[in-house]
Amino acid sequence: MAKKTPSRAQAVAATAQEQVPEQQPLVTPESESKAKPAGHDSVAPPALLDFMMTGWKPQGGKPPPKMKNAEVFEARRREISKLFPGETLVIPTGHEKVRANDTYYRFRPGTDYYYLTGNMEPDCVLVLQPKEGGGHTDILFVETNPGRGDSTFFTDRVKGELWVGPRLGVKESQARFGVHEARGLPELPGFLEGLRGAAVVPTRVLRGMSARVDGAVTEHAERDKQLATALSEMRLLKDKLEVRELETAIDSTHRGFEDVIRRLKAARSEREVEGVFNLRARVEGNDVGYGTIAAAGHHACVLHWTRNDGDIKKGELLLLDAGVEGNSLYTADITRTLPISGKFSKEQREIYELVLEAQNQAIAAVKPGNDFMEPNRAAMKVLAEGLYELGILKTTPEEALKEEHQFYKRYSLHNVSHMLGLDVHDCAQARQEAYKYGKLKAGMVLTVEPGLYFQKDDLTVPAKYRGIGVRIEDDVLVTKAGCRVLSEDIPREPRDIEDWMKQIWSEKR
């Protein structure tokens, strides 16, 4: 009797049964993801596979519309192209990361990749390939979409559409993102292999985003670093679109702070504060731009207090450092210090007003032509003088401010500014001479955030101030004439904060 040839579905099922569930990798396995059932899954029998792969409406139709502002991303690709003529540039977006066993953190695309493409899908890679006549061809490597013609659409829990949702596919990605060419991720290893060797075109890779890409292309540390630096320095100056996106994120953050104030009257824990703010971030944006700091009482003296597991107590302060990351991935970064009872105590107000004056002087120093560090110097001078007047600093402000002393830092700890944009600490790979030791230029957006933190066990501080932590942070755009505080609508003055809280608490809902 002739041996019956198994159907494609039966072959797939047999293969799946042979596979033993294994420990999930730290990142998604890109286009090589297979239909591996989890330990708690049942293997789909051939009859189910055959049934699942029939009876679907044919796919097709018009290509997706080009994404909004595609011309902006195109212009950025042309700008980086001009900086590296005749060289191949490889910019991966990165991969999903395991949170626990076989569950993943929500994916957020790599900043530089997103800045050049607008694409939010994981595992993709942008390649700028040099053309003989100059310039580059954009090649976008993306996940293929086999549709219902491959059983992985329902058997692959990592990539399958019925598990994680649809993806664009190759031709659709080319149309959507306006690139010259799109290819499937299965073609990427062969393409990268072709970049090896001394006789090929010089190649630069944005390192640290994809271990597979890093391992596939010979590393040239200095050259690769120059690519990362160039991308960071491109982002130092924000265009009008970027400023609008930041304003949108700041407006949402403002509403998030008001959500917190509404809850604060009855809140019992810092986790409630975090949860309330984070709800606004997910409703109006992509997520929070960084871990929300909801620090009540002496927790406010810990700069990056993100445990948020403390109690909310009347009479204390809440330091809320939070920012909504918009759907375009630009993030706000705002801090307000709120009196939990609705009124500052005498001691709390004294410290708050000192920090506010430091911030006002720092903002006044934000203008084109000034050193990036000038706002910091202005703020630290105010803080040192105030700490001396309070009897906390025993040396004169002049002595405390000397580079070889910096005694004031016991109570302030950090500088007052960093760049802001797609990353909360934006442009981190820029050269020091272009950033920290450079000049402010119109189009830069930076934070201004002085603070004072009096630890509860610091015997150099009068007992009445111990445990008080105050930070005030705003997002500031450098303009041709000076600066504009993008977050100016969020109250800062102590009386305005008290009135703000009173007004929100009096609302009828």
Side-chain angles (χ1 to χ4, degrees):
M1 185 174 180
K3 190 174 183 180
K4 186 177 180 180
T5 303
S7 69
R8 188 159 72 100
Q10 289 173 320
V12 171
T15 302
Q17 286 173 329
E18 292 172 2
Q19 292 172 334
V20 178
E22 60 188 48
Q23 181 66 37
Q24 291 289 332
L26 293 180
V27 297
T28 53
E30 302 179 39
S31 59
E32 297 179 13
S33 171
K34 302 298 182 185
K36 295 181 180 180
H40 54 274
D41 282 342
S42 298
V43 175
L48 175 59
L49 288 168
D50 284 333
F51 176 60
M52 287 295 294
M53 293 176 65
T54 60
W56 300 102
K57 182 179 179 180
Q59 295 180 331
K62 295 181 179 180
K66 187 173 290 188
M67 69 177 298
K68 187 178 180 181
N69 301 311
E71 70 282 356
V72 174
F73 295 96
E74 161 69 14
R76 293 168 183 169
R77 294 194 295 272
R78 300 289 67 80
E79 184 176 350
I80 196 69
S81 168
K82 291 176 183 176
L83 295 177
F84 300 101
E87 302 185 34
T88 300
L89 309 179
V90 182
I91 301 103
T93 189
H95 313 292
E96 292 176 289
K97 293 180 173 57
V98 169
R99 181 183 184 276
N101 186 31
D102 58 355
T103 61
Y104 295 88
Y105 289 104
R106 184 182 298 116
F107 179 70
R108 197 273 194 187
T111 293
D112 292 307
Y113 172 87
Y114 176 82
Y115 183 73
L116 296 174
T117 66
N119 184 5
M120 302 278 250
E121 290 185 343
D123 303 330
C124 303
V125 178
L126 172 68
V127 174
L128 299 186
Q129 188 176 47
K131 297 188 290 188
E132 288 187 8
H136 288 78
T137 298
D138 308 330
I139 306 174
L140 194 61
F141 288 89
V142 298
E143 276 288 353
T144 59
N145 185 354
R148 303 296 192 258
D150 189 304
S151 65
T152 55
F153 81 91
F154 80 99
T155 60
D156 186 347
R157 59 172 41 244
V158 176
K159 296 287 188 180
E161 287 196 359
L162 297 194
W163 286 95
V164 297
R167 53 185 181 269
L168 277 173
V170 178
K171 292 181 179 179
E172 294 80 4
S173 293
Q174 181 177 355
R176 174 72 173 156
F177 302 110
V179 292
H180 298 132
E181 185 180 341
R183 301 181 189 177
L185 276 174
E187 297 182 46
L188 180 63
F191 180 89
L192 295 178
E193 180 64 29
L195 299 180
R196 288 181 173 274
V200 299
V201 173
T203 301
R204 299 177 190 261
V205 176
L206 185 68
R207 300 280 170 180
M209 300 304 299
S210 171
R212 292 193 175 200
V213 172
D214 288 349
V217 184
T218 303
E219 181 175 5
H220 299 281
E222 189 57 35
R223 291 167 49 77
D224 292 340
K225 182 179 178 182
Q226 289 170 357
L227 173 60
T229 296
L231 288 165
S232 270
E233 292 184 7
M234 278 176 61
R235 302 205 316 275
L236 281 170
L237 301 182
K238 271 61 179 180
D239 58 33
K240 291 180 180 179
L241 173 62
E242 291 178 288
V243 173
R244 286 200 303 270
E245 296 295 351
L246 283 166
E247 289 174 325
T248 297
I250 290 166
D251 289 344
S252 289
T253 301
H254 187 174
R255 289 186 284 274
F257 275 57
E258 293 186 337
D259 295 337
V260 166
I261 292 172
R262 288 186 186 93
R263 184 62 173 254
L264 196 55
K265 199 165 188 178
R268 300 179 62 184
S269 73
E270 294 168 344
R271 284 191 179 184
E272 288 183 65
V273 171
E274 176 187 359
V276 167
F277 182 84
N278 289 12
L279 175 61
R280 178 66 65 172
R282 282 295 286 163
V283 168
E284 294 192 1
N286 181 60
D287 209 327
V288 289
Y290 52 95
T292 296
I293 298 169
H298 68 273
H299 287 165
C301 300
V302 180
L303 293 187
H304 290 166
W305 179 263
T306 56
R307 296 182 201 173
N308 299 339
D309 59 0
D311 297 330
I312 298 290
K313 298 178 181 178
K314 301 296 182 183
E316 294 186 335
L317 298 175
L318 172 72
L319 189 157
L320 179 60
D321 186 337
V324 171
E325 178 184 79
N327 290 314
S328 64
L329 304 188
Y330 287 84
T331 184
D333 183 8
I334 307 293
T335 306
R336 289 294 182 266
T337 305
L338 308 170
I340 293 170
S341 299
K343 291 280 187 181
F344 290 98
S345 70
K346 177 178 179 294
E347 292 77 17
Q348 291 168 349
R349 184 182 286 264
E350 285 179 327
I351 304 308
Y352 188 95
E353 288 181 338
L354 175 54
V355 174
L356 181 61
E357 178 58 22
Q359 192 198 33
N360 287 335
Q361 293 302 315
I363 290 173
V366 177
K367 59 182 68 174
N370 272 2
D371 294 344
F372 173 81
M373 292 294 291
E374 185 58 29
N376 185 72
R377 289 190 285 268
M380 293 306 117
K381 182 175 184 295
V382 172
L383 293 182
E385 291 171 349
L387 289 166
Y388 182 72
E389 291 174 7
L390 290 171
I392 295 173
L393 272 180
K394 305 306 179 184
T395 60
T396 64
E398 292 75 19
E399 285 295 310
L401 287 164
K402 286 182 178 179
E403 284 295 312
E404 63 269 26
H405 292 157
Q406 301 185 45
F407 297 138
Y408 60 90
K409 280 196 173 178
R410 178 176 179 130
Y411 315 103
S412 65
L413 299 174
H414 58 85
N415 290 354
V416 305
S417 295
H418 57 77
M419 294 299 178
L420 183 70
L422 284 169
D423 291 337
V424 66
H425 297 151
D426 208 28
C427 312
Q429 301 303 315
R431 294 166 298 161
Q432 292 281 280
E433 58 266 31
Y435 186 164
K436 183 178 177 181
Y437 301 121
K439 301 289 185 181
L440 294 174
K441 298 177 181 178
M444 290 180 171
V445 177
L446 61 151
T447 63
V448 178
E449 50 174 316
L452 284 174
Y453 314 94
F454 299 129
Q455 308 300 327
K456 63 178 182 178
D457 59 348
D458 191 340
L459 299 181
T460 69
V461 175
K464 62 182 179 179
Y465 297 130
R466 292 177 200 161
I468 292 178
V470 174
R471 180 162 67 251
I472 311 170
E473 179 179 18
D474 284 274
D475 302 339
V476 183
L477 169 68
V478 184
T479 64
K480 292 180 179 179
C483 71
R484 178 163 66 90
V485 180
L486 300 177
S487 48
E488 62 184 352
D489 289 340
I490 306 177
R492 291 190 300 139
E493 295 285 342
R495 182 59 182 270
D496 290 342
I497 286 177
E498 291 174 346
D499 290 345
W500 185 34
M501 297 178 71
K502 182 179 179 181
Q503 177 186 350
I504 290 174
W505 285 347
S506 66
E507 292 175 353
K508 293 182 179 180
R509 299 182 66 82

Short mmCIF file of all heavy atoms in Angstrom, two decimals, residues 68-69 239-250 324 326-332:
data_model
loop_
_atom_site.label_atom_id
_atom_site.label_comp_id
_atom_site.label_asym_id
_atom_site.label_seq_id
_atom_site.Cartn_x
_atom_site.Cartn_y
_atom_site.Cartn_z
N LYS A 68 1.74 60.32 8.71
CA LYS A 68 1.74 61.76 8.89
C LYS A 68 3.16 62.26 9.16
O LYS A 68 3.91 61.64 9.90
CB LYS A 68 0.82 62.13 10.06
CG LYS A 68 0.61 63.62 10.25
CD LYS A 68 -0.34 63.87 11.40
CE LYS A 68 -0.57 65.38 11.62
NZ LYS A 68 -1.49 65.62 12.76
N ASN A 69 3.52 63.35 8.53
CA ASN A 69 4.85 63.97 8.69
C ASN A 69 5.98 63.08 8.16
O ASN A 69 7.12 63.20 8.60
CB ASN A 69 5.12 64.34 10.15
CG ASN A 69 4.08 65.31 10.70
OD1 ASN A 69 3.78 66.32 10.07
ND2 ASN A 69 3.53 65.00 11.86
N ASP A 239 12.85 70.99 15.85
CA ASP A 239 12.10 71.74 14.85
C ASP A 239 10.71 72.06 15.40
O ASP A 239 10.35 71.67 16.52
CB ASP A 239 12.04 70.99 13.53
CG ASP A 239 11.42 69.60 13.66
OD1 ASP A 239 10.52 69.42 14.50
OD2 ASP A 239 11.83 68.68 12.91
N LYS A 240 9.90 72.76 14.61
CA LYS A 240 8.58 73.18 15.08
C LYS A 240 7.68 72.00 15.42
O LYS A 240 6.91 72.04 16.39
CB LYS A 240 7.91 74.07 14.02
CG LYS A 240 8.57 75.43 13.84
CD LYS A 240 7.86 76.25 12.79
CE LYS A 240 8.52 77.60 12.61
NZ LYS A 240 7.84 78.42 11.56
N LEU A 241 7.78 70.94 14.62
CA LEU A 241 6.98 69.74 14.90
C LEU A 241 7.35 69.16 16.25
O LEU A 241 6.47 68.80 17.05
CB LEU A 241 7.20 68.70 13.79
CG LEU A 241 6.56 67.34 14.03
CD1 LEU A 241 5.04 67.45 14.13
CD2 LEU A 241 6.97 66.35 12.94
N GLU A 242 8.64 69.06 16.53
CA GLU A 242 9.08 68.49 17.80
C GLU A 242 8.62 69.33 18.98
O GLU A 242 8.21 68.80 20.02
CB GLU A 242 10.60 68.35 17.80
CG GLU A 242 11.12 67.29 16.84
CD GLU A 242 12.63 67.21 16.83
OE1 GLU A 242 13.26 68.15 16.28
OE2 GLU A 242 13.18 66.23 17.34
N VAL A 243 8.68 70.65 18.84
CA VAL A 243 8.22 71.52 19.92
C VAL A 243 6.73 71.33 20.16
O VAL A 243 6.27 71.26 21.31
CB VAL A 243 8.54 73.00 19.60
CG1 VAL A 243 7.91 73.92 20.65
CG2 VAL A 243 10.06 73.21 19.56
N ARG A 244 5.95 71.20 19.08
CA ARG A 244 4.50 70.95 19.23
C ARG A 244 4.25 69.62 19.95
O ARG A 244 3.36 69.54 20.82
CB ARG A 244 3.81 70.94 17.87
CG ARG A 244 3.64 72.30 17.24
CD ARG A 244 2.56 72.30 16.18
NE ARG A 244 2.77 71.33 15.13
CZ ARG A 244 3.45 71.57 14.01
NH1 ARG A 244 3.99 72.77 13.82
NH2 ARG A 244 3.59 70.64 13.08
N GLU A 245 5.02 68.61 19.62
CA GLU A 245 4.84 67.32 20.27
C GLU A 245 5.19 67.41 21.76
O GLU A 245 4.53 66.80 22.61
CB GLU A 245 5.68 66.25 19.58
CG GLU A 245 5.29 65.98 18.14
CD GLU A 245 3.90 65.39 17.99
OE1 GLU A 245 3.27 65.03 19.01
OE2 GLU A 245 3.42 65.29 16.84
N LEU A 246 6.24 68.15 22.09
CA LEU A 246 6.59 68.35 23.49
C LEU A 246 5.48 69.11 24.23
O LEU A 246 5.13 68.78 25.37
CB LEU A 246 7.92 69.10 23.60
CG LEU A 246 9.17 68.26 23.33
CD1 LEU A 246 10.39 69.16 23.13
CD2 LEU A 246 9.41 67.28 24.48
N GLU A 247 4.92 70.12 23.58
CA GLU A 247 3.83 70.88 24.20
C GLU A 247 2.62 69.98 24.46
O GLU A 247 1.96 70.10 25.51
CB GLU A 247 3.45 72.06 23.31
CG GLU A 247 4.50 73.16 23.29
CD GLU A 247 4.18 74.26 22.28
OE1 GLU A 247 3.61 73.95 21.21
OE2 GLU A 247 4.50 75.43 22.57
N THR A 248 2.35 69.08 23.53
CA THR A 248 1.24 68.14 23.72
C THR A 248 1.48 67.25 24.93
O THR A 248 0.58 67.02 25.76
CB THR A 248 1.05 67.27 22.47
OG1 THR A 248 0.70 68.12 21.36
CG2 THR A 248 -0.04 66.23 22.66
N ALA A 249 2.71 66.74 25.06
CA ALA A 249 3.06 65.89 26.20
C ALA A 249 2.98 66.67 27.51
O ALA A 249 2.54 66.15 28.54
CB ALA A 249 4.46 65.30 26.00
N ILE A 250 3.40 67.93 27.48
CA ILE A 250 3.36 68.77 28.68
C ILE A 250 1.93 69.05 29.09
O ILE A 250 1.58 69.02 30.28
CB ILE A 250 4.16 70.07 28.44
CG1 ILE A 250 5.66 69.76 28.36
CG2 ILE A 250 3.88 71.09 29.54
CD1 ILE A 250 6.49 70.89 27.81
N VAL A 324 4.36 62.62 30.84
CA VAL A 324 3.68 61.81 29.84
C VAL A 324 4.56 61.72 28.60
O VAL A 324 5.07 62.75 28.13
CB VAL A 324 2.31 62.41 29.48
CG1 VAL A 324 1.70 61.68 28.28
CG2 VAL A 324 1.37 62.37 30.68
N GLY A 326 4.22 61.21 24.85
CA GLY A 326 3.14 61.27 23.88
C GLY A 326 3.18 60.12 22.90
O GLY A 326 4.13 59.32 22.87
N ASN A 327 2.16 60.03 22.07
CA ASN A 327 2.11 58.98 21.06
C ASN A 327 3.22 59.11 20.03
O ASN A 327 3.54 58.16 19.33
CB ASN A 327 0.74 58.99 20.38
CG ASN A 327 -0.35 58.52 21.31
OD1 ASN A 327 -0.22 57.52 22.00
ND2 ASN A 327 -1.45 59.26 21.36
N SER A 328 3.82 60.29 19.95
CA SER A 328 4.96 60.51 19.07
C SER A 328 6.28 60.24 19.78
O SER A 328 7.36 60.46 19.22
CB SER A 328 4.96 61.95 18.57
OG SER A 328 5.13 62.84 19.67
N LEU A 329 6.22 59.80 21.06
CA LEU A 329 7.35 59.41 21.89
C LEU A 329 8.12 60.58 22.49
O LEU A 329 9.09 60.36 23.22
CB LEU A 329 8.32 58.48 21.15
CG LEU A 329 7.70 57.20 20.58
CD1 LEU A 329 8.80 56.29 20.04
CD2 LEU A 329 6.86 56.47 21.59
N TYR A 330 7.71 61.82 22.23
CA TYR A 330 8.34 62.95 22.92
C TYR A 330 7.77 63.02 24.33
O TYR A 330 6.56 62.84 24.54
CB TYR A 330 8.10 64.26 22.16
CG TYR A 330 8.92 64.32 20.90
CD1 TYR A 330 8.48 63.72 19.73
CD2 TYR A 330 10.17 64.94 20.90
CE1 TYR A 330 9.26 63.73 18.59
CE2 TYR A 330 10.96 64.95 19.76
CZ TYR A 330 10.49 64.36 18.60
OH TYR A 330 11.28 64.37 17.48
N THR A 331 8.63 63.28 25.31
CA THR A 331 8.22 63.21 26.70
C THR A 331 8.36 64.55 27.41
O THR A 331 9.30 65.31 27.16
CB THR A 331 9.02 62.14 27.46
OG1 THR A 331 8.51 62.04 28.80
CG2 THR A 331 10.50 62.50 27.54
N ALA A 332 7.42 64.82 28.29
CA ALA A 332 7.55 65.91 29.24
C ALA A 332 8.38 65.44 30.43
O ALA A 332 8.57 64.23 30.64
CB ALA A 332 6.17 66.37 29.71
#
